[in-house]
Amino acid sequence: MINLGRRCMLRSSFMVSTLFVLAMGALVPAARAQTASNQPASTKKTATTKPKKVEFVTIQKGTLPVILSAPHGGELDLPGSLPRDRKSGGSRFQTVRDVRSIELAEAIANQLEAEFGQRPYVVILRVSRKYLDANREADYAYESPEAQVVYDEYHGAIEQFKKAILEKHGSGLLIDVHGQSKEKGAVYRGTRNGLTISALNRRLGKDAAALYSKVMEDAGLRMIPPSTAAPNQEVEYNGGEIVVAHGSQNPGGIDCIQMEFGADLRSVAALPQTAKDFVKGLSPFLKEHYGVSDQRQAAAGGTSQAGR
């Protein structure tokens, strides 16, 4: 009888303990939930990351009277856009990318800043040329409304920058950066035989294209045509729609030169030196013909050596 009573008491004690543990297990999550609901709303994490907008055209304002344009180095697909049609593009239809022409334009911009303490204006097309060619007339440049929007954005940025440069400086220079593989170690100059630098020709009263080639040759670049060539010798790569549409032969235009850098000059190893050589030649040209000066030296009374 005694053993039986003890067993009953032990069983009753065990059942009570078990029920208590189960009850507490149910109460703890409920208490945590209640505590969490009472927390201030500011402590709760919410998703704040937004999808990054794809940049089809890079547009950067500057302070130098110089625009760097790079229309043929892009690789991005353009959603909703139709590829360009060779039939409508005629004999000038091309979809080949100018490899590392974007990187070269960016390196030139950085080198100009190191030289003058000021940055040029920059307009770069990131879209693949199979959808859009910003260096062609609109009728041959694209096949869809989506591509037209990007085309208009590209040329609209150049228009805006031209206006700002003319208002501030009175004259300016656009360099259209391209790549070619025909003469891998040389650079073709394109001005439509002086047409797109008409304003500079008028100011100087002479062939400014030859002077431009000469400063580039002095900096170590092999130019085609060379500075010693007779006028009107630009035959190949002599300038596309960008320099023609925005050149100084037009009302509100600025001087424009197309530069077709050879493949060897755009290699990974050679590209930094190419940018340095180009700016080495461009620097005296900008100082003499466009009134550009080193703003850091001016601010420091002519004693600054930063960036040298």
Side-chain angles (χ1 to χ4, degrees), residues 117-132:
Q118 304 178 75
R119 286 190 69 80
Y121 295 80
V122 176
V123 185
I124 294 173
L125 183 62
R126 304 281 178 179
V127 175
S128 170
R129 199 176 178 187
K130 68 182 179 182
Y131 300 106
L132 169 64

Side-chain angles (χ1 to χ4, degrees), residues 56-88:
F56 294 127
V57 183
T58 298
I59 301 172
Q60 299 174 355
K61 293 182 179 180
T63 53
L64 285 170
V66 177
I67 300 173
L68 293 178
S69 164
H72 287 166
E75 297 183 271
L76 293 180
D77 288 329
L78 186 59
S81 177
L82 296 172
R84 293 164 56 232
D85 186 352
R86 178 178 292 276
K87 294 180 181 178
S88 65

Side-chain angles (χ1 to χ4, degrees), residues 250-265:
N250 303 306
I254 63 174
D255 297 320
C256 293
I257 302 175
Q258 180 173 299
M259 293 284 280
E260 294 271 356
F261 291 87
D264 289 349
L265 300 175

Side-chain angles (χ1 to χ4, degrees), residues 7-17:
R7 288 176 184 173
C8 289
M9 290 176 64
L10 289 172
R11 286 177 181 175
S12 297
S13 176
F14 174 77
M15 291 177 65
V16 170
S17 299

